[in-house]
Amino acid sequence: MMRRTTLGPVSSSQLNARSSALRHPSTRVSVPSKSTAAMERQSIGIASRRVSTAAGTVRRPPIGPRASMNARQSVGANRRNSTYSSRASVSGRGGTRVVDPRPVTDRSFQNSCVQTLVEFLSEHMYDQAIPPALARRGPSKNDFKNMILFLFKQVDPTFEFGPKFEEDVVQQLRDLRYPVSISKTSLAAVGTPHTWPMLLMAMSWLIELLSYDEAIQQANDAEQDAENDEENGDKPFFKYLDASYHVFLAGEDDKFEALEKQEREKLIARNEVVKQETSELEQQREELKRRIEKAKRDKNTLAELNSKKNDCESDLFKFRKLVKDCEKAKIKLEKKLESLVSVQQSCDEELAARQEEIKRLQTRINNQELSAHDIEQIGIERARLTEQLHQAFAQQDELQKRIKNDENRAAEIRDDLDAQIHKYMVTCKQLKMIPMTAKNSFNFDFALELDSSLEELTAVQKLTHHLKTGIRQAAMHLKQNRIARANKGLDTALELDEELQKCENQLNVEIESEKFWESKAKKYAEQMLKEREKRAEVFRRKTTATEEVEKKITQISNGDNLAEEEAMSRQHLLDVRKTSVEMTEGYQALIDKNQRAVTHALMACTNHKEMVDQAILSLETEVNKVEL
């Protein structure tokens, strides 16, 4: 027989050989089928429950000998080797007490266990504060309780301590098959040097157990991820190709259609699943589009909603105000109802008394024997009482009308009183009498207000008493003060008026004096002008005479007797010049004197005018103050 060795084209000789092989089944090549051994791992939780631990890296247990819980057997073909070669079994037989083979008293081993504990708590998000210096001294009872509870919750998330946590800790360690026994007395004093190492070893053993379970869980997750990757990849196709190739090599062509049909059904099923998922995604996409469009439409109505919100808020404020007013009216009506209830009670008591009287009289009537005369008298009495009853009803109606009129008149008086109070308050504000810190209040409260918590008559009486005892006296005191201040102001005004009159008279005198000095200065100026013209004329004449003398000197200088005439002329010239200088100096001194006199007069007038203006201004200011 010739076996197929390829998937390529088959020759005619191979086809002939294939037909002979099919007729002799003994000559066919048998293809061994692949089988996978299903391995099942055991859980470390109570009652074969898998422990769910937090995600994280697997922590390596502390270095040192480790005690085995029980003889754990491997599920596979080969036996699983222990992680530590020095691991020894500490399980005893017959309930004998087992000594922990680990170096419990070794300080370095304790530090390693503490470090492992701290790292495990930190990596698994321990929500309590880790006590410092666990290696030197043990934790407090509360800290140990929180840590051991956190570790137990890693095994069983629903675990909680009962009233006695010592019993719960011992029972939980016993259920987890912890080989070394823990006594309840050691849990009563956790931080002592002889009990803390034993409890630390128990917590370290529990951390090793949890770390092993995390490793197993991660391995299972990795295998599951690998299987999912294989299912989603090309492995199914290669499996189909492998099966087809084996069938082809075996010459079992009748199985091709079944394999193709099976593969087609798988692909169709996968396509249906993909189509269904695609349709679901399309529906979700359409739903998201509708939500987006709806959000865009709703965005345009935001202004309208804001306006509605503002309207609702304003309505809410109005309704709250209305509720407050209604509550105030309710309080008044309740008070009035209480007064009416008291009146009704008195009326009910009177009615009960009258009914008792009627019953008593009716009993007397029923018990006594009546004659015709008595019946006639009773009829007359009944008619008289009926007439009196009608009269009483008429009087009652009249009294009710009067009461109603009185109530209306009282309401009008109340309104008038409110108006008068309002007018009074406005006047007080204008006069600066309210509030108490006002200028004219004199630390007295002039405000008036009817007490709404009291009845109308009581409130009016209280207001009247306050007016008579408090406000009237304060107003009289204010009036007297104002009169005294007005009289004082009038006196001051009269005095200031007299001073003003004196100042005006003095001002007139000063004005006349100023006019006099101005006229005098004007006269001096005119006199100075005339004197200046006169001096100028004299100076002109002297100048002319001097020129004539100079001419004569010039003429004489040409004659015989020049020396004498020149000396005489020079002497005459010197005299003339000296006289001219003296006249000029006198004239200048007179001008300076007149100018100083005029300047002094003008300065005196100006100063006097300023002084008068200041006096007038101060008097006007004082008069304005007095008027205010």
Side-chain angles (χ1 to χ4, degrees):
M1 172 185 172
M2 183 180 294
R3 293 182 60 188
R4 293 179 184 174
T5 57
T6 180
L7 292 176
V10 183
S11 63
S12 59
S13 60
Q14 290 175 343
L15 289 174
N16 294 329
R18 179 184 174 190
S19 61
S20 62
L22 291 173
R23 286 192 295 270
H24 300 281
S26 60
T27 61
R28 293 182 181 178
V29 179
S30 62
V31 180
S33 61
K34 295 172 67 178
S35 62
T36 58
M39 299 176 66
E40 183 179 2
R41 293 184 176 87
Q42 296 179 354
S43 174
I44 62 172
I46 302 173
S48 299
R49 185 181 56 81
R50 179 175 296 278
V51 180
S52 176
T53 58
T57 59
V58 179
R59 183 183 295 99
R60 185 177 181 84
I63 300 172
R66 174 182 170 187
S68 174
M69 292 186 296
N70 289 318
R72 184 183 290 113
Q73 296 180 357
S74 175
V75 184
N78 297 327
R79 186 177 182 84
R80 184 179 303 219
N81 294 327
S82 176
T83 307
Y84 305 101
S85 59
S86 60
R87 183 174 178 181
S89 176
V90 293
S91 299
R93 294 183 179 179
T96 58
R97 185 178 182 84
V98 179
V99 179
D100 196 341
R102 293 173 292 182
V104 179
T105 58
D106 188 3
R107 180 64 66 179
S108 61
F109 183 70
Q110 291 180 7
N111 292 335
S112 177
C113 293
V114 168
Q115 184 178 1
T116 303
L117 174 62
V118 172
E119 290 178 358
F120 184 85
L121 294 177
S122 301
E123 291 177 1
H124 289 76
M125 297 180 183
Y126 179 59
D127 56 352
Q128 301 291 333
I130 299 175
L134 286 175
R136 293 196 302 272
R137 63 179 183 275
S140 63
K141 187 176 181 180
N142 193 19
D143 292 335
F144 174 76
K145 182 178 178 181
N146 292 331
M147 289 189 292
I148 197 69
L149 177 61
F150 180 77
L151 295 177
F152 286 157
K153 281 192 174 183
Q154 298 297 316
V155 178
D156 184 6
T158 61
F159 178 79
E160 292 292 342
F161 283 133
K164 296 182 179 180
F165 92 99
E166 295 88 353
E167 297 179 357
D168 295 336
V169 170
V170 173
Q171 184 63 35
Q172 188 72 1
L173 291 175
R174 188 179 295 116
D175 292 339
L176 292 174
R177 302 294 188 270
Y178 182 60
V180 181
S181 62
I182 301 294
S183 63
K184 299 178 183 178
T185 56
S186 62
L187 293 172
V190 176
T192 56
H194 64 281
T195 58
W196 167 238
M198 297 173 59
L199 299 176
L200 179 61
M201 295 301 110
M203 295 172 72
S204 177
W205 178 85
L206 186 56
I207 289 172
E208 291 179 8
L209 196 65
L210 294 171
S211 300
Y212 176 76
D213 188 69
E214 287 180 2
I216 296 299
Q217 184 69 24
Q218 288 180 357
N220 292 336
D221 293 340
E223 291 178 0
Q224 186 67 29
D225 293 338
E227 291 177 0
N228 293 334
D229 293 338
E230 290 176 357
E231 290 179 359
N232 296 328
D234 296 333
K235 190 172 182 179
F237 176 73
F238 286 116
K239 286 183 179 179
Y240 164 71
L241 189 62
D242 181 66
S244 300
Y245 190 68
H246 280 290
V247 171
F248 173 74
L249 292 177
E252 299 174 352
D253 295 339
D254 54 347
K255 294 183 179 181
F256 280 139
E257 294 181 359
L259 288 174
E260 289 179 358
K261 184 178 180 180
Q262 184 179 1
E263 187 66 21
R264 189 182 299 109
E265 290 176 354
K266 288 182 180 179
L267 292 175
I268 290 171
R270 289 178 63 185
N271 289 335
E272 291 296 331
V273 172
V274 172
K275 287 180 181 179
Q276 186 177 0
E277 292 178 354
T278 305
S279 63
E280 290 178 357
L281 292 174
E282 288 291 336
Q283 291 177 0
Q284 292 178 2
R285 188 167 68 88
E286 294 296 331
E287 181 65 23
L288 290 174
K289 283 184 178 180
R290 287 195 297 271
R291 291 175 64 183
I292 290 170
E293 293 296 331
K294 184 179 179 181
K296 289 181 179 179
R297 290 194 301 271
D298 294 340
K299 186 177 180 181
N300 297 327
T301 60
L302 182 61
E304 183 179 356
L305 293 175
N306 286 329
S307 63
K308 288 183 179 180
K309 179 184 176 183
N310 295 329
D311 295 337
C312 292
E313 288 179 353
S314 62
D315 293 339
L316 179 62
F317 176 75
K318 293 178 182 177
F319 283 129
R320 285 179 178 173
K321 186 176 180 181
L322 181 61
V323 167
K324 289 182 180 178
D325 296 337
C326 292
E327 287 178 353
K328 292 180 180 179
K330 179 183 176 183
I331 292 171
K332 291 182 179 179
L333 292 175
E334 286 178 352
K335 292 180 179 179
K336 188 178 288 185
L337 181 63
E338 289 177 357
S339 62
L340 293 176
V341 165
S342 62
V343 174
Q344 184 182 3
Q345 288 178 356
S346 62
C347 292
D348 291 339
E349 292 176 356
E350 186 177 358
L351 178 61
R354 293 288 183 264
Q355 288 178 354
E356 290 293 332
E357 184 69 20
I358 290 170
K359 289 180 181 179
R360 187 176 61 79
L361 294 174
Q362 187 67 34
T363 304
R364 287 181 60 187
I365 291 170
N366 293 331
N367 292 331
Q368 69 181 358
E369 296 178 357
L370 298 177
S371 61
H373 180 71
D374 294 334
I375 293 172
E376 185 178 357
Q377 291 294 328
I378 289 170
I380 295 170
E381 185 68 20
R382 182 177 181 181
R384 186 179 63 80
L385 293 175
T386 303
E387 185 178 358
Q388 290 181 358
L389 180 62
H390 289 307
Q391 292 177 0
F393 282 151
Q395 291 178 0
Q396 183 181 3
D397 294 336
E398 185 179 357
L399 289 174
Q400 287 180 353
K401 290 180 181 178
R402 290 175 61 185
I403 290 170
K404 187 175 181 180
N405 293 330
D406 291 339
E407 288 179 352
N408 294 331
R409 190 161 57 86
E412 293 176 357
I413 293 172
R414 173 65 182 271
D415 295 336
D416 189 15
L417 182 60
D418 291 336
Q420 293 294 332
I421 290 173
H422 179 69
K423 184 177 179 181
Y424 167 78
M425 295 294 288
V426 172
T427 306
C428 288
K429 287 181 180 178
Q430 293 176 355
L431 295 176
K432 298 180 181 180
M433 294 169 62
I434 55 174
M436 291 182 65
T437 57
K439 180 179 179 181
N440 298 325
S441 64
F442 297 105
N443 295 326
F444 183 79
D445 189 8
F446 284 94
L448 288 179
E449 184 180 3
L450 284 174
D451 193 354
S452 59
S453 62
L454 300 176
E455 295 182 358
E456 294 181 355
L457 183 59
T458 307
V460 171
Q461 290 177 355
K462 184 178 179 181
L463 181 63
T464 305
H465 179 71
H466 181 58
L467 281 170
K468 291 180 179 180
T469 58
I471 294 180
R472 178 176 291 178
Q473 295 179 1
M476 292 297 294
H477 177 67
L478 178 63
K479 182 179 179 181
Q480 293 175 1
N481 189 7
R482 295 289 293 180
I483 291 171
R485 289 176 61 186
N487 294 331
K488 186 177 180 181
L490 289 174
D491 295 338
T492 306
L494 292 174
E495 293 176 358
L496 293 175
D497 193 8
E498 292 178 358
E499 291 181 0
L500 180 62
Q501 191 68 29
K502 291 179 181 179
C503 291
E504 288 178 354
N505 295 330
Q506 188 176 359
L507 179 62
N508 294 328
V509 172
E510 294 295 336
I511 289 171
E512 293 294 333
S513 176
E514 184 179 0
K515 289 180 180 179
F516 172 74
W517 285 107
E518 285 179 356
S519 62
K520 195 171 183 180
K522 188 175 181 181
K523 290 179 181 179
Y524 277 123
E526 292 176 355
Q527 187 177 359
M528 286 173 61
L529 184 60
K530 291 178 180 179
E531 189 69 23
R532 183 182 294 175
E533 291 176 355
K534 186 177 180 181
R535 295 288 182 181
E537 183 66 24
V538 172
F539 183 73
R540 186 177 60 77
R541 290 177 182 177
K542 293 292 183 181
T543 304
T544 304
T546 303
E547 290 176 354
E548 291 178 355
V549 170
E550 287 179 354
K551 288 179 180 180
K552 287 180 180 182
I553 290 171
T554 303
Q555 292 175 1
I556 292 170
S557 62
N558 296 326
D560 296 333
N561 198 4
L562 295 175
E564 293 180 1
E565 290 182 359
E566 183 178 0
M568 291 175 63
S569 297
R570 289 182 182 278
Q571 185 65 35
H572 184 67
L573 180 60
L574 290 173
D575 294 338
V576 170
R577 287 181 176 177
K578 185 176 180 180
T579 304
S580 176
V581 169
E582 290 177 355
M583 290 176 66
T584 303
E585 289 178 355
Y587 177 69
Q588 188 67 34
L590 181 61
I591 290 173
D592 293 337
K593 182 179 179 182
N594 291 333
Q595 286 180 352
R596 283 196 297 271
V598 171
T599 302
H600 287 311
L602 291 175
M603 288 179 66
C605 292
T606 303
N607 293 331
H608 182 68
K609 183 178 180 182
E610 290 179 355
M611 183 178 67
V612 171
D613 290 338
Q614 290 179 359
I616 291 171
L617 183 61
S618 62
L619 290 173
E620 289 178 353
T621 304
E622 291 179 358
V623 169
N624 291 329
K625 289 182 179 179
V626 170
E627 289 178 355
L628 292 175

